[in-house]
C-alpha cells in the first residue's frame, strides 16, 4: 500500500479512529497496530509476511536468551545466530544473484568459463529496512545497552509498525519499543505537527519529485543521444528528485506516527545545505547513516586506531552502505566514492587544521555528490561512465530539452521546494514541529491549499524510489 494512494487515504483514517477509540486498552491498541501493519504489508504480497514474522520471532527469542545467559561465549553464539538468520535472508533474496554473477565474471577474466547460478526470486519490499531494525535490537542487548521485552505483541509491532515498515526511518528499539509498551495519549500539538508534515511530504513527493522524475526518466532512458548540458540538467533534477521523494516519504511516515502518538527520529535535515561531505551524512537518511556508524563503523574499530585504520573503516562502511541500497556494482562504486570523499576531507581538514571549508563548504559537497548520483540513477556501469565523461569533459552546447513542458514544470516545482527549504534553513525552523505554530484555522487553510495543489499536479508515478532498496 502506497502513502500517496486512495487505499492509504481510506486505510489510515480507519486505523486512526479505531486506534484512539481503544485508548484505554494498551494491549488492544498494540494488537490493532500489529494487524493493521500486517494488512498494510500484505497489500503488496501476503506471502512475504512469513519473512517478517520469522525475523521477528527469531530476534524476540534471541534477545531474551542473550540477556539471560551469563556466558560471554553463549552471548556471542546467540548474536551470531541473529546475524546469520537475518543477514542470510537478506543475502539470499537481495544479493545471491549479484555475488554469483560477479564471481562468474571474475573467473572469465582468468579465462575460466563458469555458469552463474541465479535464483528467480522477487525482492521483498522493505527487507533491508526491517532487517537492520531487528539486528539493532539484538546487538544493543548484546552490548548491554538495552533490556529485551517479553511482550511479544509489542516486539512484533516494533518490527512491523506500518508507517516505517517499508522504507524507514530505521527505528532503534531504545526509542520506539518503550513508546509501544507504555500508554499513549492524544496530543493536540502532535496532531497539528503530523497533519502538516504529512501534507508537506505528499507535496514533496507527488508535486515536486514526480514532476522532476518525468524529465529525468526521459533523458536517462537514452543518455547517449544527449549532450552535456542536457545531462547536467537531468542530473540536477535527479539529485532533487531523490531527495524530495525520500524526504517526502519520511515526512509522511513520521507524521503518520505522530498522529498515533509515536515520535520517530528525524530522517532528513536539509542535506543540500551541508558545509562538508561529513555534514551531508549527518543530514541525509540519518537513520541509516547513524546505524552504519554505530553498528558497523564502531564495530570495525571506528577511529580508535591509526589514520590508515580509520580510513579503512570508513571505506568498508561506505561501500557496504552503498551495497545496502542495491545489488549492483553501481551502488558499490557510489559508496566507495563517498568513502573516498570522506577520507580525503578528513586528510585535508587535519592537514590544514580546520573544522570546515567555510563558505566553499556549501558549494563543493553538492557538486561532488551530484556526480556520484549518476551511479545511483544510471542503468548500468557503462552508462554511468558515459554520462560522467560528458559531464566532466563538458561540451557547451544548447541542451536538447525534449519535452519543454516537463522542464518548465520541473523548474517551477524545484523553485517551490528549494524556497521552502531555504526558508527553514534561514529561520532555523524545524518542519517536524512547524505545524503547532499555526492556529487550527490557519493550519486548515494551509493544508487545504497544499492538498489542492497536490491534486492539480498529481502525476502517474506512484512508487517511491527507495522501495527498490
Amino acid at each position: 500500500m502506497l502513502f500517496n494512494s486512495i487505499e492509504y487515504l481510506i486505510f489510515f483514517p480507519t486505523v486512526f479512529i479505531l486506534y484512539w477509540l481503544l485508548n484505554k486498552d494498551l494491549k488492544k491498541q498494540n494488537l490493532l497496530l500489529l494487524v493493521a501493519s500486517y494488512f498494510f504489508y500484505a497489500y503488496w504480497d501476503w506471502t512475504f509476511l512469513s519473512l517478517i514474522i520469522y525475523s521477528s520471532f527469531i530476534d524476540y527469542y534471541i534477545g531474551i536468551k542473550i540477556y539471560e545467559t551469563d556466558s560471554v561465549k553463549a552471548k556471542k553464539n546467540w548474536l551470531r545466530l541473529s546475524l546469520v538468520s537475518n543477514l542470510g535472508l537478506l543475502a539470499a533474496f537481495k544479493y545471491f544473484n549479484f555475488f554469483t554473477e560477479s564471481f562468474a565474471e571474475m573467473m572469465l577474466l582468468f579465462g575460466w568459463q563458469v555458469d552463474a547460478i541465479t535464483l528467480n526470486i522477487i525482492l521483498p519490499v522493505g527487507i533491508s529496512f526491517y532487517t537492520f531494525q531487528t539486528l539493532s535490537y539484538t546487538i544493543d542487548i548484546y552490548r548491554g545497552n538495552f533490556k529485551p521485552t517479553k511482550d511479544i505483541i509489542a516486539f512484533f509491532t516494533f518490527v512491523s509498525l506500518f508507517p516505517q515498515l517499508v522504507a524507514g526511518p530505521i527505528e532503534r528499539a531504545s526509542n520506539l519499543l518503550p513508546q509501544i509498551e507504555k500508554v499513549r495519549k492524544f496530543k493536540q500539538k502532535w496532531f497539528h505537527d503530523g497533519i502538516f508534515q504529512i501534507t508537506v511530504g505528499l507535496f514533496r513527493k507527488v508535486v515536486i519529485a514526480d514532476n522532476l522524475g518525468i524529465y529525468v526518466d526521459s533523458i536517462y532512458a537514452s543518455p547517449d543521444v544527449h549532450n552535456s548540458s542536457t545531462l547536467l540538467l537531468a542530473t540536477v533534477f535527479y539529485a532533487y528528485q531523490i531527495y524530495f521523494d525520500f524526504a517526502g516519504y519520511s515526512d509522511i511516515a513520521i507524521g503518520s506516527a505522530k498522529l498515533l502518538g509515536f515520535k520517530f527520529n528525524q530522517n532528513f535535515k536539509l542535506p543540500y545545505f551541508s558545509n562538508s561531505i561529513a555534514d551531508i551524512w549527518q543530514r541525509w537518511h540519518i537513520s541509516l547513516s547513524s546505524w552504519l556508524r554505530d553498528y558497523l563503523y564502531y564495530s570495525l574499530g571506528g577511529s580508535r586506531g591509526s589514520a590508515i585504520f580509520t580510513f579503512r573503516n570508513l571505506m568498508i562502511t561506505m561501500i557496504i552502505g552503498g551495497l545496502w541500497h542495491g545489488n549492483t556494482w553501481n551502488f558499490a562504486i557510489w559508496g566507495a566514492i563517498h568513502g573516498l570523499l570522506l577520507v580525503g576531507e578528513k586528510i585535508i581538514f587535519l592537514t590544514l587544521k580546520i573544522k570546515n571549508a567555510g563558505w566553499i563548504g556549501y558549494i563543493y559537497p553538492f557538486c561532488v555528490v551530484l556526480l556520484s548520483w549518476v551511479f545511483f540513477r544510471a542503468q548500468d556501469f557503462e552508462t554511468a561512465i558515459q554520462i560522467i565523461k560528458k559531464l566532466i569533459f563538458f561540451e557547451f552546447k544548447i541542451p536538447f530539452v525534449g519535452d519543454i513542458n516537463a522542464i518548465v514544470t520541473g523548474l517551477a516545482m524545484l523553485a517551490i521546494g528549494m524556497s521552502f527549504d531555504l526558508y527553514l534553513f534561514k529561520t532555523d525552523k524545524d518542519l517536524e514541529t512547524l505545524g503547532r505554530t499555526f492556529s487550527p484555522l490557519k493550519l486548515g487553510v494551509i493544508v487545504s491549499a497544499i492538498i489542492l495543489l497536490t491534486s492539480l499536479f498529481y502525476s502517474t508515478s506512484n512508487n517511491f524510489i527507495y522501495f527498490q532498496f
Side-chain angles (χ1 to χ4, degrees):
M1 191 181 300
L2 297 165
F3 283 161
N4 54 327
S5 66
I6 298 298
E7 291 84 355
Y8 190 75
L9 187 61
I10 298 171
F11 168 80
F12 185 78
T14 304
V15 173
F16 176 82
I17 292 169
L18 293 175
Y19 176 81
W20 287 114
L21 286 175
L22 298 171
N23 68 329
K24 294 183 179 179
D25 194 325
L26 178 62
K27 289 185 177 180
K28 288 183 179 178
Q29 270 192 328
N30 288 343
L31 184 59
L32 172 67
L33 286 178
L34 181 60
V35 173
S37 298
Y38 283 167
F39 175 81
F40 175 85
Y41 190 83
Y43 199 82
W44 275 290
D45 192 333
W46 65 270
T47 56
F48 289 128
L49 266 179
S50 58
L51 296 180
I52 299 176
I53 294 170
Y54 168 79
S55 186
S56 301
F57 179 78
I58 285 291
D59 286 313
Y60 170 78
Y61 181 77
I62 289 177
I64 294 173
K65 286 297 182 181
I66 291 175
Y67 184 75
E68 289 180 345
T69 184
D70 294 324
S71 168
V72 175
K73 183 179 179 180
K75 286 179 184 288
K76 286 184 178 180
N77 287 335
W78 283 116
L79 179 61
R80 290 190 185 104
L81 180 59
S82 174
L83 292 170
V84 170
S85 299
N86 287 285
L87 295 179
L89 279 178
L90 187 61
F93 280 93
K94 191 170 183 177
Y95 300 107
F96 182 84
N97 291 349
F98 168 68
F99 286 130
T100 57
E101 289 170 358
S102 297
F103 176 77
E105 289 174 4
M106 184 178 66
M107 291 297 100
L108 196 59
L109 295 176
F110 294 97
W112 298 337
Q113 183 72 38
V114 178
D115 293 330
I117 301 173
T118 59
L119 301 176
N120 186 23
I121 52 178
I122 300 172
L123 178 66
V125 175
I127 189 171
S128 298
F129 290 89
Y130 67 74
T131 296
F132 271 26
Q133 185 150 312
T134 57
L135 277 179
S136 68
Y137 174 77
T138 52
I139 294 172
D140 279 346
I141 295 171
Y142 174 78
R143 291 176 174 177
N145 297 330
F146 192 72
K147 293 182 179 180
T149 181
K150 292 191 176 181
D151 185 340
I152 193 168
I153 298 298
F155 181 76
F156 275 49
T157 303
F158 154 71
V159 176
S160 62
L161 190 61
F162 69 85
Q164 51 82 56
L165 173 58
V166 176
I170 303 170
E171 284 297 321
R172 309 284 180 90
S174 56
N175 175 54
L176 184 54
L177 196 50
Q179 296 184 64
I180 295 174
E181 291 183 312
K182 72 178 182 181
V183 176
R184 278 89 63 185
K185 293 182 179 180
F186 182 83
K187 298 178 182 178
Q188 190 70 35
K189 61 181 181 181
W190 279 23
F191 180 80
H192 286 192
D193 292 342
I195 290 293
F196 183 72
Q197 194 164 0
I198 288 171
T199 51
V200 169
L202 280 171
F203 187 85
R204 281 175 159 178
K205 160 61 181 173
V206 174
V207 179
I208 303 176
D210 286 355
N211 279 290
L212 291 173
I214 293 171
Y215 185 73
V216 173
D217 292 345
S218 67
I219 303 304
Y220 267 79
S222 52
D224 53 309
V225 302
H226 297 295
N227 61 29
S228 301
S229 301
T230 305
L231 290 170
L232 176 60
L233 181 61
T235 304
V236 170
F237 271 24
Y238 180 70
Y240 282 98
Q241 180 199 359
I242 192 170
Y243 162 59
F244 284 119
D245 189 279
F246 195 26
Y249 180 93
S250 297
D251 289 333
I252 301 170
I254 294 169
S256 297
K258 281 181 182 174
L259 295 183
L260 298 174
F262 297 104
K263 179 91 167 59
F264 285 178
N265 288 313
Q266 189 174 16
N267 208 28
F268 283 85
K269 194 176 181 181
L270 306 175
Y272 289 149
F273 290 98
S274 304
N275 63 357
S276 67
I277 302 299
D279 192 30
I280 282 181
W281 279 102
Q282 292 173 3
R283 294 168 174 267
W284 178 282
H285 201 350
I286 300 169
S287 63
L288 173 64
S289 58
S290 61
W291 197 101
L292 291 171
R293 177 197 65 204
D294 294 344
Y295 299 107
L296 181 56
Y297 179 68
Y298 288 161
S299 296
L300 291 170
S303 57
R304 292 193 297 269
S306 64
I308 297 296
F309 191 73
T310 300
F311 299 157
R312 183 209 67 173
N313 295 340
L314 269 175
M315 289 300 300
I316 293 174
T317 300
M318 295 311 298
I319 291 172
I320 291 177
L323 283 173
W324 177 90
H325 287 87
N327 54 356
T328 70
W329 284 110
N330 271 24
F331 292 105
I333 292 169
W334 177 82
I337 289 171
H338 279 270
L340 289 171
L341 291 171
L342 287 169
V343 169
E345 192 174 75
K346 274 184 173 290
I347 292 173
I348 292 171
F349 285 5
L350 287 172
T351 303
L352 299 179
K353 296 180 180 180
I354 57 176
K355 293 183 178 180
N356 58 65
W359 65 268
I360 299 176
Y362 289 102
I363 299 174
Y364 82 84
F366 179 76
C367 293
V368 294
V369 166
L370 186 67
L371 285 176
S372 73
W373 280 132
V374 173
F375 288 97
F376 223 77
R377 180 58 182 82
Q379 295 177 1
D380 49 49
F381 177 75
E382 290 75 16
T383 304
I385 294 299
Q386 180 187 50
I387 295 171
I388 290 290
K389 285 180 178 179
K390 286 189 176 183
L391 292 178
I392 293 177
F393 302 103
F394 203 86
E395 299 173 355
F396 292 91
K397 295 180 180 179
I398 298 174
F400 170 70
V401 296
D403 186 351
I404 191 65
N405 291 326
I407 191 171
V408 171
T409 303
L411 286 171
M413 297 305 105
L414 183 55
I416 293 173
M418 291 176 66
S419 297
F420 181 64
D421 277 10
L422 183 61
Y423 163 76
L424 294 175
F425 179 71
K426 285 291 186 181
T427 58
D428 198 27
K429 290 186 177 180
D430 187 356
L431 171 61
E432 308 213 354
T433 58
L434 194 58
R436 70 184 63 179
T437 63
F438 305 119
S439 66
L441 178 60
K442 193 172 183 180
L443 180 64
V445 171
I446 293 171
V447 168
S448 298
I450 294 174
I451 292 174
L452 178 61
L453 284 171
T454 303
S455 300
L456 289 174
F457 288 96
Y458 188 78
S459 72
T460 57
S461 176
N462 289 321
N463 282 331
F464 289 83
I465 292 175
Y466 263 67
F467 279 18
Q468 64 185 294
F469 307 139

